[in-house]
Amino acid sequence: RVAEPGICGSDLAYDAACRLLERHHVDREAIDLLIFCTQTPDYFLPTTACVLHERLGLKQSCACFDVNLGCSQYVYALAVAHSMISAGVASHALVLTGDTMSRTVHPMDRSLVPLLGDAATASLVGEVPAGQGFLGFELGTDGSGHRYLMIPAGAFRQPANEETGRAKADADGNVRSQEHLYMNGAAIFHFAISVVPPTVQNLLARLSLSIDDVDLFLFHQANKYMLDYLFRKLRIPPEKTHFFLEDVGNCSGSTTPMVMVDAWRAKRIHPGNLVLLIGFGVGLSWAATVIRWPDNALEL
């Protein structure tokens, strides 16, 4: 899915937020935290969350900021929202994701054009009954791999110039400039298969849970080959997984909430179920959480 010209990730996120708030009759005055997750902001500054704050008509006593991460952004934002609510800093958090990653890819880069899609999601995070909701988080970073997935030029470290804008073909015939997204696919694959299994195992062990205890595993929808490999390595049976990629592509940080909603709509998630979410990618970074699906979850 590719956004129309002139449409930003914030536009997609705004539409998603309006649908959520209007469908469930949420009082906008109750929202006291807005987190917008994006790698494709409207501007260098201000933070796009402030732009969305105005568009959504939220109150002034509402904290707003962006989370500038990629495929791990959603779970990172959930961890922040959960922490702030638990600390009493906020009571109702609106967590939005929104990216137009297709704009970052050169149209002749065959390694990325078929993979990436544009999308946005909206989630409302609030209080749940005791013992439900987020049971724990596992967050991690390997900054030594930041060059494996990046846009090298165009910001302040390497400003755009005539040379950085010149497109060239690599050894595999993929065309891009330094101002376009670059991914070392082999390195990213190795990263994922190296960090995802121990992250899942560490989080479950910390919560005194096993693979058998979890009802559904929802992984960032990078590509099916990678996910199938990870499920086999972790010995997760197929009936405990869900896949949602064919129609939309890899939509960066929006894929994890999208696969969660698709599983929910398919009635694969019920109150009391244990659901494990994990996102991993640019940074390099990763984030996982286990949710006991709450009794008061909004109906879809």
Side-chain angles (χ1 to χ4, degrees), residues 17-272:
C18 289
R19 292 182 191 183
L20 172 67
L21 299 175
E22 291 166 8
R23 178 170 182 176
H24 297 288
H25 308 289
V26 177
D27 181 6
R28 300 188 186 211
E29 286 293 307
I31 305 297
D32 50 14
L33 173 62
L34 170 62
I35 303 175
F36 181 46
C37 308
T38 188
Q39 296 177 107
T40 54
D42 288 12
Y43 311 102
F44 276 126
L45 58 92
T47 181
T48 309
C50 294
V51 178
L52 283 165
H53 174 274
E54 180 193 29
R55 293 183 67 183
L56 290 168
L58 302 181
K59 62 184 181 181
Q60 291 191 0
S61 56
C62 176
C64 295
F65 53 87
D66 287 359
V67 171
N68 179 20
L69 275 175
C71 303
S72 63
Q73 62 179 227
Y74 183 64
V75 182
Y76 259 91
L78 293 180
V80 174
H82 168 67
S83 300
M84 293 181 69
I85 291 172
S86 298
V89 177
S91 60
H92 294 86
L94 187 59
V95 176
L96 306 180
T97 68
D99 274 301
T100 50
M101 292 303 296
S102 65
R103 308 273 170 77
T104 70
V105 179
H106 192 284
M108 294 180 65
D109 188 345
R110 297 174 298 177
S111 68
L112 288 174
V113 168
L115 298 181
L116 298 181
D118 302 330
T121 70
S123 304
L124 185 65
V125 182
E127 299 217 6
V128 297
Q132 301 181 9
F134 303 114
L135 303 186
F137 289 87
E138 185 87 8
L139 311 178
T141 309
D142 179 7
S144 68
H146 75 272
R147 296 175 184 84
Y148 296 146
L149 187 54
M150 71 181 304
I151 300 174
F156 295 106
R157 178 63 61 187
Q158 177 59 63
N161 57 49
E162 184 177 349
E163 179 58 29
T164 63
R166 184 174 292 115
K168 303 175 184 177
D170 65 14
D172 297 316
N174 300 305
V175 178
R176 73 180 73 86
S177 74
Q178 290 180 278
E179 296 170 23
H180 290 103
L181 182 66
Y182 163 76
M183 180 176 72
N184 183 326
I188 295 298
F189 183 85
H190 177 74
F191 151 71
I193 65 175
S194 298
V195 305
V196 170
T199 299
V200 171
Q201 292 163 342
N202 292 343
L203 177 58
L204 293 179
R206 189 153 50 81
L207 298 174
S208 299
L209 297 171
S210 69
I211 296 290
D212 293 337
D213 295 319
V214 178
D215 297 289
L216 195 62
F217 291 84
L218 301 176
F219 284 26
H220 162 59
Q221 306 284 284
N223 64 70
K224 195 169 189 305
Y225 177 79
M226 178 189 291
L227 295 187
D228 287 344
Y229 181 94
L230 291 170
F231 293 145
R232 288 196 303 270
K233 189 169 184 179
L234 283 162
R235 298 184 179 179
I236 298 172
E239 61 270 20
K240 289 193 173 190
T241 67
H242 192 75
F243 190 70
F244 181 65
L245 179 63
E246 298 98 327
D247 295 332
V248 296
N250 177 346
C251 298
S252 187
S254 293
T255 66
T256 307
M258 288 166 70
V259 72
M260 181 177 69
V261 168
D262 193 66
W264 193 2
R265 284 178 174 154
K267 301 191 183 304
R268 302 206 55 205
I269 304 176
H270 305 280

